[in-house]
Amino acid sequence: MAAARPSGSWSGALCRLLLLTLAILIFASDACKNVTLYVPSKLDAEKLIGRVNLKECFTAANLIHSSDPDFQILEDGSVYTTNSILLSSEKRSFTILLSNTENQEKKKIFVFLEHQTKVLKKRQTKETVLRRAKRRWAPIPCSMLENSLGPFPLFLQQVQSDTAQNYTIYYSIRGPGVDQEPRNLFYVERDTGNLYCTRAVDREQYESFEIIAFATTPDGYTPELPLPLIIKIEDENDNYPIFTEETYTFTIFENCRVGTTVGQVCATDRDEPDTMHTRLKYSIIGQVPPSPTLFSMHPTTGVITTTSSQLDRELIDKYQLKIKVQDMDGQYFGLQTTSTCIINIDDVNDHLPTFTRTSYVASVEENTVDVEILRVTVEDKDLVNTANWRANYTILKGNENGNFKIVTDAKTNEGILCVVKPLNYEEKQQVILQIGVVNEAPFSREASSRSAMSTATVTVNVRDQDEGPECNPPIQTVRMSENAAVGTTSNGYKAYDPETRSSSGIRYKKLTDPTGWVTIDENTGSIRVFRSLDREAETIRNGMYNITVLASDQAGRTCTGTLGIILQDVNDNGPFIPKKTVIICKPTMSSAEIVAVDPDEPINGPPFDFSLESSTSDVQRMWRLNKINDTAARLSYQNDPAFGSYVVPITVRDRLGMSSVTSLDVVLCDCITENDCTHRADPRIGGGGVQLGKWAILAILLGIALLFCILFTLVCGASGISKQPKVIPDDLAQQNLIVSNTEAPGDDKVYSANGFTTQTVGASAQGVCGTMGSGVKNGGQETIEMVKGGHQTLESCRGAGHHHTLDSCKGGHTEVDNCRYTYSEWHSFTQPRLGEESVRGHTLIKN
């Protein structure tokens, strides 16, 4: 068919080719970048055919336009078909126009489209040129579209080694997509190195493949190192964006300001990030109820905000929005998904409670308390059983005396008006109250736009009650002189009938009268003095005497009051000195201060006059009084009286001359302080108890301990009876015996040497003697003779039928044969030592 065409057709075709070439040259010379895209011969509508890097040419472009209406270019450089295209054998091209409307700058990108069947020849030619120029073992970067429609096997690129000029080279590949999952996706022709894909690939499953290419000779020699090949899977917009929740629920307060954030929605897209396939755009496509439109959504962030401040929960408490998210930045051919958003309108206190009536009338009987007299109701459109709905009632006017209170019924929200303090019909027959009501929560709107409180008027009528007598005031007083004569009368307590304001018909009775000083008249309530009144009595407090009076009417109704009798003072008491005993420590003091008091009122009291009662001349000679002030004087002694106790009578007179004599017991004592003298029986030497210091007590205890040690030593020494004669040392005899030069005393003589008594008494009974003496007497008389010098024999020492001999030799040796010293020997030995310890203890006590 090509041979049947006329020659004109050939010339026409040649002209068109020349014009196309000229146009390409013209455009190419003006373009900032040339891009070639390899595409199938048939392109479907809205199909991605490639991507152009627009930022390399013009970074500030805000307007992108294609010269060919069959193609559309997005902001990220993605090139899409707008219609189905069938490429002819001729090359097709178009221009991408980039411009900035602000500075009027423009750029062009020239795009060439070539059929994939021509790629192989072109690459082979290029590889040949490269081989001639330089040896290489590297592939051209390779990529393929996901979900490609083929035809399969789809040629990707050719792998070729420079050593193929000298050897026969066989090519092979390994790795994911070859001998690993997904297996058999790629293969290479052994002889040519052409790489093919066998089926479509999903980018969301495999973003890229890294396989290894090998070049070997037929005998197994490897002239080249293994070559890594990366095959990138170009993304296709095949995944819908998905909302993170099926239904979103948000809550916002009513009457909020314009622009208040309601909430934010979010969606995800599995396509390649940072491309138009994942550039999402949010929007609201529906609202229920549809009018008015109150919400908007940010297209990029998905944040929902209010567009009006007229959200009113009392009108509509919930809105439902239908929202949409679409990829491709929201362009019409982008994939989209919808979801539901529910917006609940929360309540605020934008409605005041209002009384259902503006005035109310109630009544109550006087003298009743804790009774409910009225219930008032209010209306509130806010949410029930919330702080915005619950009412707080208050009494604004008319309750100055505190007779009423108003509370809220928690169930019905009604106001309950109660009487908490009794009303008096005789004082006021009608009370007008003004009550107000507000919510527990503060009112949210401007105070100037509307009154913040609803008010109502309540008229309370007080009903009369037949009452008994009224004791008002409850405490009444009368004045009487304290020296009023018995039978003196005075006004008493008065009660009255509250209806008639009269005291007639009321009878009185005395309930309490502590001392029985007065009587009360039953008909008039006046009082009569029954006993003499005394203002200075113990039952009087602050000069007032109180009695309790009971008033009753003819019906038996009663009231109780107190009558206070104010006793007017009379100068009937002389001043006196309350302290009867005065102690003067003579070594440190020469006088004492005395103070007088007067039970009468100050007008009948000081200044006082002090004087000595001159009944005896000794008092005037020994004592002297000097006035200190209106109520005190100083008592001084003179002429150096002896220590002892004296009675000093002192006369004290008040300003009106009333006087009394007080006899003071004045004690002149040898002391430092008065307390020292109060413990003594005798003012000078003292006869009371003696207080010992701690060192004196310690000395006494040591003396007692020493005494017990001595006694213990004597007892232990005397406990054993030695059958051999005992030898008493010279020094012992010298310490305990006074040497006597008298020889051969008579039998009836008694000698005493240093407290050691020697008696010679002729008697048959005799005590057992022992060394140092045990002090044991066996019921008889003791007879012993001890002299210095010579040899003496004691023959009368007999006891229990024994005969003992005590020889006292000159030289200090004394032999005792089976006997003990007598009691007098023990006494003479211990007594001087006990005397020494007593002296030591007495010395410590004084110290």
Side-chain angles (χ1 to χ4, degrees):
M1 294 181 64
R5 291 181 179 177
S7 60
S9 299
W10 287 104
S11 61
L14 181 59
C15 290
R16 287 194 299 270
L17 181 59
L18 290 174
L19 291 175
L20 178 61
T21 303
L22 180 61
I24 291 174
L25 291 175
I26 293 173
F27 282 112
S29 63
D30 193 28
C32 69
K33 184 178 181 181
N34 298 328
V35 178
T36 302
L37 300 178
Y38 301 99
V39 296
S41 59
K42 183 179 180 180
L43 298 176
D44 295 330
E46 298 182 1
K47 189 71 174 179
L48 176 66
I49 62 174
R51 184 175 290 110
V52 178
N53 191 347
L54 303 179
K55 294 184 178 180
E56 291 182 357
C57 186
F58 197 4
T59 58
N62 55 16
L63 183 62
I64 304 172
H65 179 68
S66 173
S67 62
D68 192 336
D70 290 334
F71 301 95
Q72 181 183 12
I73 294 85
L74 304 184
E75 292 180 4
D76 63 346
S78 299
V79 181
Y80 282 83
T81 58
T82 58
N83 303 304
S84 296
I85 300 173
L86 182 62
L87 294 180
S88 63
S89 59
E90 299 177 358
K91 181 182 291 186
R92 185 166 180 173
S93 64
F94 63 92
T95 303
I96 300 176
L97 301 177
L98 304 176
S99 62
N100 190 319
T101 57
E102 296 179 357
N103 54 19
Q104 304 298 323
E105 186 178 357
K106 297 181 180 180
K107 294 288 183 179
K108 297 179 182 179
I109 298 177
F110 197 74
V111 180
F112 297 94
L113 301 180
E114 291 190 15
H115 195 280
Q116 285 182 344
T117 56
K118 300 180 180 180
V119 174
L120 180 57
K121 294 181 180 180
K122 183 177 180 180
R123 288 185 177 177
Q124 288 175 348
T125 303
K126 186 176 182 180
E127 288 294 333
T128 301
V129 174
L130 290 173
R131 281 199 302 270
R132 292 175 181 175
K134 184 179 179 181
R135 295 183 68 253
R136 62 182 303 276
W137 170 234
I140 298 175
C142 178
S143 64
M144 65 173 292
L145 286 174
E146 69 168 328
N147 305 322
S148 176
L149 300 178
F152 296 103
L154 179 66
F155 173 77
L156 298 180
Q157 73 170 358
Q158 183 184 28
V159 179
Q160 191 171 8
S161 174
D162 292 343
T163 59
Q165 297 176 1
N166 304 320
Y167 304 95
T168 300
I169 299 299
Y170 293 161
Y171 299 95
S172 61
I173 56 175
R174 293 180 184 175
V178 183
D179 54 354
Q180 300 176 20
E181 293 296 333
R183 296 177 183 274
N184 302 321
L185 180 60
F186 303 103
Y187 73 91
V188 66
E189 290 182 345
R190 188 187 68 170
D191 297 326
T192 63
N194 293 334
L195 181 63
Y196 294 91
C197 178
T198 61
R199 59 183 181 271
V201 182
D202 187 2
R203 192 208 66 86
E204 285 69 44
Q205 188 176 5
Y206 304 102
E207 293 185 3
S208 64
F209 295 90
E210 184 174 352
I211 61 178
I212 306 298
F214 301 92
T216 60
T217 59
D219 56 359
Y221 173 69
T222 305
E224 299 282 3
L225 293 175
L227 176 67
L229 297 177
I230 298 177
I231 303 174
K232 186 177 184 303
I233 308 301
E234 295 290 343
D235 185 44
E236 183 183 24
N237 190 21
D238 58 342
N239 288 279
Y240 285 82
I242 300 174
F243 281 104
T244 55
E245 297 182 22
E246 293 183 1
T247 302
Y248 292 88
T249 302
F250 302 112
T251 301
I252 189 172
F253 285 104
E254 62 177 330
N255 301 325
C256 61
R257 296 182 178 180
V258 175
T260 302
T261 299
V262 178
Q264 183 178 17
V265 299
C266 184
T268 59
D269 196 321
R270 295 181 59 199
D271 288 323
E272 185 176 359
D274 300 324
T275 64
M276 292 295 292
H277 300 162
T278 55
R279 185 174 295 183
L280 306 181
K281 190 172 184 179
Y282 301 91
S283 60
I284 299 174
I285 59 176
Q287 175 183 304
V288 177
S291 180
T293 301
L294 301 174
F295 305 98
S296 65
M297 177 178 285
H298 193 280
T300 303
T301 62
V303 175
I304 302 174
T305 57
T306 59
T307 59
S308 173
S309 60
Q310 302 304 315
L311 289 172
D312 191 349
R313 189 205 63 84
E314 286 72 34
L315 296 178
I316 301 173
D317 61 354
K318 182 173 67 174
Y319 291 88
Q320 181 173 321
L321 304 179
K322 187 176 182 181
I323 57 178
K324 180 188 75 171
V325 61
Q326 189 172 15
D327 60 15
M328 302 302 293
D329 200 21
Q331 299 191 59
Y332 68 93
F333 52 83
L335 303 179
Q336 62 181 15
T337 305
T338 60
S339 182
T340 302
C341 178
I342 297 176
I343 302 175
N344 296 313
I345 309 303
D346 205 352
D347 185 47
V348 297
N349 189 20
D350 58 341
H351 292 86
L352 288 172
T354 57
F355 287 102
T356 56
R357 297 169 55 185
T358 58
S359 62
Y360 299 87
V361 178
S363 64
V364 62
E365 193 175 50
E366 66 173 332
N367 300 321
T368 57
V369 294
D370 299 328
V371 293
E372 175 186 325
I373 63 173
L374 180 66
R375 281 180 174 255
V376 296
T377 58
V378 294
E379 292 180 348
D380 197 324
K381 296 179 180 180
D382 290 317
L383 190 61
V384 178
N385 294 325
T386 64
N388 301 329
W389 173 82
R390 286 189 289 268
N392 278 343
Y393 298 90
T394 183
I395 301 175
L396 302 176
K397 295 180 181 179
N399 193 33
E400 288 76 12
N401 295 328
N403 298 100
F404 304 92
K405 76 172 182 179
I406 187 167
V407 295
T408 304
D409 189 322
K411 295 182 179 179
T412 64
N413 211 32
E414 294 176 319
I416 304 174
L417 184 64
C418 303
V419 177
V420 295
K421 183 178 178 181
L423 295 164
N424 192 338
Y425 176 82
E426 287 71 31
E427 294 180 356
K428 187 175 289 188
Q429 293 78 38
Q430 188 180 75
V431 180
I432 298 177
L433 304 175
Q434 185 182 26
I435 58 176
V437 61
V438 294
N439 291 122
E440 289 184 1
F443 190 59
S444 63
R445 293 187 176 178
E446 296 294 335
S448 59
S449 63
R450 195 174 168 190
S451 175
M453 180 179 291
S454 174
T455 60
T457 302
V458 179
T459 302
V460 181
N461 296 316
V462 183
R463 299 194 302 270
D464 187 24
Q465 186 184 60
D466 189 9
E467 303 172 278
E470 184 174 321
C471 295
N472 190 21
I475 299 177
Q476 302 176 18
T477 59
V478 296
R479 292 182 176 271
M480 296 187 71
S481 178
E482 67 171 325
N483 62 351
V486 175
T488 302
T489 60
S490 176
N491 294 331
Y493 194 90
K494 289 294 182 180
Y496 61 91
D497 189 335
E499 280 79 17
T500 62
R501 311 302 296 178
S502 171
S503 298
S504 61
I506 297 177
R507 297 187 178 278
Y508 303 90
K509 179 181 178 182
K510 184 176 65 174
L511 291 181
T512 60
D513 183 3
T515 56
W517 284 349
V518 298
T519 59
I520 190 168
D521 187 272
E522 181 181 8
N523 297 318
T524 63
S526 61
I527 59 174
R528 180 186 297 271
V529 177
F530 181 70
R531 291 191 180 93
S532 179
L533 305 178
D534 186 4
R535 181 186 170 280
E536 290 73 36
E538 295 182 355
T539 56
I540 302 301
R541 295 290 181 271
N542 299 321
M544 182 178 289
Y545 180 67
N546 293 326
I547 63 174
T548 306
V549 179
L550 177 69
S552 60
D553 60 8
Q554 296 178 356
R557 293 183 290 263
T558 62
C559 69
T560 303
T562 299
L563 178 63
I565 303 174
I566 301 175
L567 297 176
Q568 297 176 340
D569 186 42
V570 176
N571 191 19
D572 56 348
N573 292 279
F576 65 95
I577 302 172
K579 186 178 181 181
K580 305 297 184 183
T581 301
V582 177
I583 298 176
I584 300 177
C585 292
K586 195 173 181 182
T588 60
M589 313 168 50
S590 62
S591 63
E593 184 177 325
I594 56 177
V595 179
V597 295
D598 194 331
D600 292 326
E601 286 286 335
I603 193 174
N604 298 320
F608 299 142
D609 180 42
F610 297 86
S611 62
L612 294 173
E613 183 69 20
S614 59
S615 58
T616 61
S617 60
D618 292 341
V619 173
Q620 300 291 339
R621 181 177 58 82
M622 294 178 58
W623 306 100
R624 182 176 69 253
L625 274 174
N626 296 319
K627 187 174 181 180
I628 299 176
N629 53 37
D630 290 346
T631 60
R634 187 177 304 279
L635 178 65
S636 306
Y637 64 83
Q638 55 189 1
N639 298 325
D640 192 19
F643 292 104
S645 179
Y646 300 90
V647 176
V648 180
I650 298 176
T651 301
V652 185
R653 290 181 177 83
D654 59 21
R655 66 169 62 192
L656 300 180
M658 179 66 69
S659 65
S660 66
V661 178
T662 303
S663 295
L664 298 183
D665 292 332
V666 182
V667 180
L668 291 179
C669 185
D670 184 10
C671 59
I672 304 300
T673 63
E674 293 185 11
N675 291 334
D676 296 340
C677 192
T678 56
H679 295 293
R680 301 181 184 178
D682 181 71
R684 180 174 178 81
I685 61 174
V690 178
Q691 297 181 352
L692 299 179
K694 58 182 179 179
W695 296 109
I697 296 174
L698 180 61
I700 293 174
L701 294 177
L702 291 175
I704 295 173
L706 180 60
L707 176 61
F708 276 101
C709 290
I710 295 173
L711 292 178
F712 180 74
T713 304
L714 293 176
V715 171
C716 292
S719 61
I721 302 176
S722 175
K723 297 182 180 180
Q724 300 297 328
K726 307 289 181 166
V727 178
I728 300 176
D730 275 340
D731 57 345
L732 182 62
Q734 292 173 1
Q735 291 176 9
N736 297 278
L737 300 177
I738 298 177
V739 179
S740 175
N741 292 326
T742 305
E743 295 183 351
D747 294 338
D748 56 347
K749 301 296 181 181
V750 176
Y751 296 90
S752 177
N754 195 22
F756 192 105
T757 304
T758 304
Q759 297 180 352
T760 305
V761 180
S764 59
Q766 175 246 350
V768 178
C769 302
T771 304
M772 300 300 290
S774 63
V776 180
K777 301 170 69 176
N778 288 333
Q781 292 188 1
E782 303 169 349
T783 303
I784 186 170
E785 180 180 339
M786 301 187 73
V787 295
K788 185 175 182 180
H791 185 80
Q792 303 297 332
T793 303
L794 179 65
E795 295 182 353
S796 59
C797 184
R798 299 179 178 85
H802 297 281
H803 180 79
H804 302 278
T805 302
L806 184 147
D807 294 331
S808 179
C809 301
K810 194 173 184 179
H813 294 284
T814 305
E815 297 180 359
V816 182
D817 184 15
N818 296 329
C819 69
R820 300 183 180 182
Y821 293 116
T822 62
Y823 172 77
S824 61
E825 292 176 311
W826 172 81
H827 184 273
S828 299
F829 174 76
T830 59
Q831 195 65 24
R833 287 159 176 77
L834 293 178
E836 293 175 4
E837 295 300 326
S838 299
V839 171
R840 293 176 186 174
H842 183 67
T843 302
L844 289 174
I845 292 172
K846 285 188 175 182
N847 293 335

